[in-house]
Amino acid sequence: RAFGNRPPAQAQMMLRTLALLAAVAAASAAVQPRAGARAPGMSAMRPVVLRAAPRLSEGTAQEQEVGEDGLTDKQREIQRLRDAEVFMTKDTGRYECRTCAYVYDPENGDGLMAKPGTSFDDLPQTWTCPQCQSPKPFFESQMLTIAGFADNQSYGFGGNSMTEGQKSNIIFGGLFVGFLLLMSGYLLT
């Protein structure tokens, strides 16, 4: 009776829509917790806000055009920059055995054949790992990766070629010296 003089197909569609809305309301009521009730370990639930997708402007629509390689202009630029990423590496002078992970440090030597201060290159070809007896070619140089791109290492006052530890020592050392100067000001009075 509520549908009045509507055609039967339209009335049936409205009934389906109402039934669907009732099912969604029942399902959301079953999912939502009672006021103040929370599952163990769960924080308060936040409502989800649905927003319409932003419209593309003319400039954005042109950027979205896909080229022959299947990439947009923006994706091609990102790929070009990723390919240009070359991080600076620095040789530590230490070598690691690929078999047993023994690390040869020239400052310490190996305690057997190599005396402290002997670089890995100066060791004879017959030298073997003190732990697993692997030959010298089984050792791999330990490299230290320095933050920043290799192209940028020549800029600045030399801070670009410092390791993370060296930069931390300078920063925290400077803070400590500043703290000592501040405290020494109090001692003057």
Side-chain angles (χ1 to χ4, degrees):
R1 295 181 191 198
F3 299 114
N5 297 333
R6 298 183 191 274
Q10 191 176 12
Q12 196 174 27
M13 187 169 183
M14 289 179 77
L15 281 174
R16 285 186 195 150
T17 305
L18 287 174
L20 180 63
L21 287 174
V24 168
S28 66
V31 171
Q32 291 181 352
R34 293 183 309 265
R38 292 187 187 145
M42 297 293 290
S43 62
M45 295 176 64
R46 294 185 181 136
V48 177
V49 179
L50 299 176
R51 296 188 177 117
R55 294 185 181 192
L56 296 176
S57 65
E58 288 296 320
T60 308
Q62 289 174 355
E63 288 177 1
Q64 297 297 326
E65 292 179 11
V66 179
E68 296 172 4
D69 55 358
L71 300 174
T72 63
D73 291 338
K74 190 172 187 178
Q75 289 172 332
R76 273 197 285 299
E77 177 67 13
I78 291 170
Q79 187 62 39
R80 184 189 68 79
L81 291 173
R82 281 190 182 148
D83 293 341
E85 286 180 346
V86 179
F87 291 98
M88 184 174 166
T89 56
K90 190 178 192 181
D91 189 12
T92 60
R94 298 168 49 172
Y95 285 78
E96 182 178 1
C97 178
R98 288 181 284 176
T99 307
C100 69
Y102 168 78
V103 176
Y104 175 80
D105 190 354
E107 293 178 6
N108 302 332
D110 68 356
L112 301 172
M113 270 180 62
K115 296 181 179 174
T118 306
S119 71
F120 189 79
D121 294 331
D122 294 340
L123 294 173
Q125 286 297 345
T126 58
W127 183 84
T128 59
C129 176
Q131 288 184 353
C132 68
Q133 306 305 316
S134 294
K136 188 176 173 182
F138 278 58
F139 279 76
E140 192 172 76
S141 175
Q142 287 187 335
M143 303 299 277
L144 184 64
T145 302
I146 297 177
F149 299 123
D151 295 343
N152 299 338
Q153 297 302 319
S154 61
Y155 297 116
F157 297 109
N160 289 339
S161 60
M162 290 182 184
T163 63
E164 179 182 352
Q166 291 169 331
K167 290 178 184 178
S168 294
N169 287 339
I170 289 174
I171 291 168
F172 291 112
L175 288 172
F176 182 71
V177 168
F179 175 74
L180 288 179
L181 287 173
L182 179 71
M183 289 292 123
S184 66
Y186 285 111
L187 292 176
L188 293 175
T189 57

